[in-house]
Amino acid sequence: MYLTRGVDFEYFKDADLKNYCTFKLGGKAKHLIEVKNTKALIEVCYKCKLHNIKYKVIGMGANLLFDDLGYDGVVIVNKSNQILFRKNCVYPSSGVNVTNLISKCIARNLSGIESLAGIPATVGGAIVNSLGAFNTNFCDFIDYVICLDLENFKIVKLTNEECKFGYRTSIFKDGNFVILKAKLKFNYLENNKIRENFLFSLNKKITTQPLDYPSAGSVFKRTDVIPAKLIDELGLKGLRVNGAVVSTKHAGFIINENNASSSDVLKLIEIIREKIKSAYGVELPLEIEIVR
């Protein structure tokens, strides 16, 4: 696969995936490319598709569990970082860090997503997974999304409705699109009130979540039950498989306490699911994505 050389991307062979996810585990990527802008993102995706090469686009890797055997293809790390402001409308590229976006919005008295501060996510990841916390949903502020249609390989604009947002899901989950940019609309609010919301949410996150250990956030998706509540009720906090442990601070998290492997995490997930099903008759769907 030939790529135009320049400052638009960096290429790495046999890259250690633990450096590209918040779980800090996984094997090696056969090829890894960090793209610096939207143009490079499109070019790399196009070349992979043209040559029928397996690939995966990621942001901060905050919702991913990489396999111990690594990834036999191209991992594309999206580091596009452009943001355009026009009054109360914001146009970020998909690689923008959500917390950085929030900080820039606060400086302009733009309110809406400050409750999501501190969540490790890019704009693209927030859109794909319909990011939400503390009664705030990222997708509620999206006007439209510009993305690459991988089936026809053309750039398309999808309205909020066409994105089919739901609880931790969207049309982008099927992998048929690569998100490039978005338009978000916010409300004006006094700066001190926005900062209050920002600090309150950040403090709540710090006090209730095990941020001192690597993890991928909530492992299981909420349905009509709250997984963390059921796990806690069964006394499974602290349950471990080698270095993978159910957090004693938040039962919905599995943490990498001591050089855990992906297989440790998967085994622990299997044990939790079996115990929950046996006790409550409930199947726990995964919120994290397993990448092989």
Side-chain angles (χ1 to χ4, degrees):
M1 179 175 66
Y2 176 77
L3 294 168
T4 305
R5 295 289 170 180
V7 296
D8 292 346
F9 68 87
E10 286 188 71
Y11 168 80
F12 304 91
K13 186 172 177 57
D14 296 326
D16 200 335
L17 288 169
K18 71 170 64 172
N19 298 323
Y20 292 91
C21 67
T22 58
F23 233 145
K24 301 300 179 189
L25 47 72
K28 293 180 182 293
K30 186 174 183 180
H31 307 283
L32 185 141
I33 300 173
E34 295 182 4
V35 296
K36 311 297 184 182
N37 53 50
T38 299
K39 177 185 174 184
L41 177 59
I42 294 171
E43 180 185 358
V44 175
C45 288
Y46 174 71
K47 292 295 175 63
C48 287
K49 185 173 176 65
L50 182 66
H51 297 282
N52 199 29
I53 299 171
K54 175 183 174 183
Y55 68 99
K56 172 72 176 175
V57 179
I58 69 170
M60 297 177 70
N63 200 45
L64 305 178
L65 176 62
F66 287 116
D67 192 273
D68 292 324
L69 297 177
Y71 189 80
D72 186 24
V74 181
V75 172
I76 304 168
V77 184
N78 183 7
K79 293 198 169 185
S80 60
N81 197 34
Q82 295 76 42
I83 308 175
L84 177 65
F85 288 89
R86 287 182 180 166
K87 297 184 179 178
N88 67 323
C89 296
V90 186
Y91 303 80
S93 56
S94 53
V96 169
N97 182 304
V98 168
T99 298
N100 290 345
L101 175 62
I102 291 169
S103 296
K104 291 181 183 297
C105 286
I106 291 174
R108 291 166 173 79
N109 294 346
L110 296 177
S111 173
I113 58 171
E114 58 271 13
S115 294
L116 305 179
I119 296 176
T122 58
V123 167
I127 294 171
V128 171
N129 296 300
S130 191
L131 181 68
F134 308 130
N135 298 315
T136 297
N137 294 305
F138 191 89
C139 61
D140 289 344
F141 300 90
I142 294 172
D143 188 5
Y144 61 73
V145 175
I146 303 292
C147 53
L148 186 63
D149 179 342
L150 294 173
E151 186 174 341
N152 303 300
F153 222 87
K154 63 180 182 179
I155 295 174
V156 297
K157 179 167 77 172
L158 300 181
T159 65
N160 187 299
E161 185 177 17
E162 289 172 326
C163 292
K164 298 181 181 178
F165 291 116
Y167 181 75
R168 301 297 180 266
T169 191
S170 68
I171 196 174
F172 307 105
K173 278 283 192 178
D174 61 15
N176 292 329
F177 299 94
V178 173
I179 297 167
L180 305 175
K181 301 177 182 179
K183 177 185 177 184
L184 298 96
K185 296 179 76 172
F186 298 115
N187 303 309
Y188 286 109
L189 190 65
E190 290 178 21
N191 189 273
N192 62 327
K193 298 229 172 175
I194 303 176
R195 289 184 182 277
E196 267 180 43
N197 295 340
F198 173 87
L199 292 173
F200 175 82
S201 300
L202 201 57
N203 184 63
K204 190 169 182 180
K205 180 177 171 60
I206 291 168
T207 55
T208 61
Q209 298 180 10
L211 304 183
D212 44 345
Y213 289 101
S215 80
S218 295
V219 173
F220 303 104
K221 189 184 293 185
R222 286 194 186 194
T223 51
D224 53 344
V225 299
I226 302 173
K229 183 174 182 292
L230 302 186
I231 293 167
D232 196 5
E233 286 176 356
L234 283 185
L236 300 182
K237 281 184 174 179
L239 182 67
R240 70 167 58 238
V241 173
N242 299 320
V245 185
V246 177
S247 170
T248 56
K249 195 170 188 179
H250 190 306
F253 284 60
I254 290 176
I255 59 172
N256 179 358
E257 187 180 78
N258 185 22
N259 296 318
S261 66
S262 295
S263 56
D264 292 338
V265 175
L266 289 171
K267 181 61 178 174
L268 187 53
I269 287 171
E270 182 185 341
I271 292 169
I272 293 167
R273 278 176 148 174
E274 287 176 353
K275 288 182 179 291
I276 294 296
K277 186 173 182 181
S278 175
Y280 299 101
V282 172
E283 297 274 3
L284 292 182
L286 285 180
E287 185 166 316
I288 62 173
E289 178 185 353
I290 301 167
V291 181
R292 296 186 168 100

